[in-house]
Amino acid sequence: MAKSKDYFGLGRLLSLILAIIPFTSWLFGFLTRASEGKIIAAILRIFFGWWIVWIIDLFCMLTKGKIWRALNC
């Protein structure tokens, strides 16, 4: 199984399971963006990451194996 780039290099299946749970998706999405040095994107995930970003992340994790990246700054 191919490794996913997101959620700290965990496998795609484990990352998908973690993305299904809203709290872990929110927390790991924030930590992933912060570890990439994308501070503004990480802060936006804190405030807007509950439902809208969670559903988009879940869809992207299912289709691409990576979380959604709205900002690259």
Side-chain angles (χ1 to χ4, degrees):
M1 192 178 317
K3 288 284 185 178
S4 173
K5 181 179 177 185
D6 289 322
Y7 290 163
F8 315 111
L10 299 173
R12 186 173 181 156
L13 180 63
L14 185 55
S15 291
L16 179 61
I17 291 169
L18 292 172
I20 290 171
I21 304 166
F23 179 75
T24 59
S25 177
W26 173 74
L27 178 66
F28 286 171
F30 166 75
L31 292 174
T32 299
R33 296 300 277 162
S35 70
E36 293 173 349
K38 311 296 185 189
I39 303 303
I40 295 172
I43 291 170
L44 287 175
R45 280 190 169 267
I46 287 179
F47 294 110
F48 300 111
W50 281 107
W51 294 109
I52 295 171
V53 175
W54 172 64
I55 291 171
I56 295 170
D57 273 350
L58 188 57
F59 177 75
C60 289
M61 192 63 78
L62 279 169
T63 58
K64 297 187 293 184
K66 297 190 293 186
I67 62 172
W68 181 54
R69 284 168 165 73
L71 289 176
N72 280 329
C73 56

